[in-house]
Amino acid sequence: MKGVAELTTIDLDEKPADILTNGPAGDERRPNRVRLVLGALALAAVAGVAGWQAPNAIDTLTKPKYLGADASTIADNLGCDGYTRAAKHTDAVYTYRDQGTCTLNGVVVTITTFDEATDGRTFAAVMEAVIPVLHPTWSGATYAAGDGWNVADARNLTPEIAELAVQRLGTGATHVIPAGHSA
């Protein structure tokens, strides 16, 4: 028959299941787009937590050993005898965490610890300004200091005690007053 169009019908129930679902017959997986969105959300959550905690983790891993420590911890690591904690001075020119005295090789030393490295540098600056004024004849007055701590001979600032402190603590350096003569 000319001019008559033929209509063909396709029964969808006869088509293989994988054509309709983009997968093998019986595959109940969610479409790829849903998995992609869920994966992106999980990755964002993990990255957010990591970004939030990374500064804390880095600080913990890179924090100097004695920064924020009590003076008794330094005394123990120095092998001091007779540690005595000093009363806290709230009116000091510098800020410190803890302070005390003990005997190191028969010499009384003062240990001062700090929560911030900048507090330790301020304490050192005060020492370097005051010692020459109070004891102008002292030559080679020496103290030991590192991030978070300062150890000084409580009487004469002898270099031997400062050197021993650096050696036993395994960190820091000796500093000779007047400033600029560090060992």
Side-chain angles (χ1 to χ4, degrees), residues 67-83:
L67 190 63
D70 289 334
S72 61
T73 301
I74 304 274
D76 288 344
N77 291 339
L78 285 172
C80 277
D81 295 320
Y83 174 77

Side-chain angles (χ1 to χ4, degrees), residues 64-75 77-78 95-99 104 109-124 127 143-152 161-175:
K65 182 177 181 179
Y66 296 111
L67 190 63
D70 289 334
S72 61
T73 301
I74 304 274
N77 291 339
L78 285 172
T95 302
Y96 63 94
R97 176 186 179 81
D98 194 20
Q99 194 171 55
L104 179 61
V109 296
T110 300
I111 301 167
T112 308
T113 61
F114 309 96
D115 288 325
E116 303 289 333
T118 53
D119 293 336
R121 289 191 287 275
T122 301
F123 179 80
M127 280 184 67
Y143 65 93
D147 285 337
W149 62 274
N150 182 298
V151 175
I161 292 300
E163 290 164 5
L164 183 60
V166 170
Q167 177 188 7
R168 288 196 179 170
L169 294 176
T171 184
T174 60
H175 302 274

Side-chain angles (χ1 to χ4, degrees), residues 7 10 19 32 69 89 113 121 127 133 136 145 149:
L7 183 59
I10 299 174
I19 290 176
N32 287 338
H89 302 287
T113 61
R121 289 191 287 275
M127 280 184 67
V133 173
W149 62 274

Side-chain angles (χ1 to χ4, degrees), residues 99-110:
Q99 194 171 55
T101 59
C102 62
T103 303
L104 179 61
N105 277 14
V107 176
V108 176
V109 296
T110 300

Side-chain angles (χ1 to χ4, degrees), residues 43-65:
L43 181 62
V46 168
V49 169
W52 176 50
Q53 289 299 319
N56 292 334
I58 290 169
D59 285 348
T60 299
L61 293 172
T62 60
K63 179 182 173 187
K65 182 177 181 179

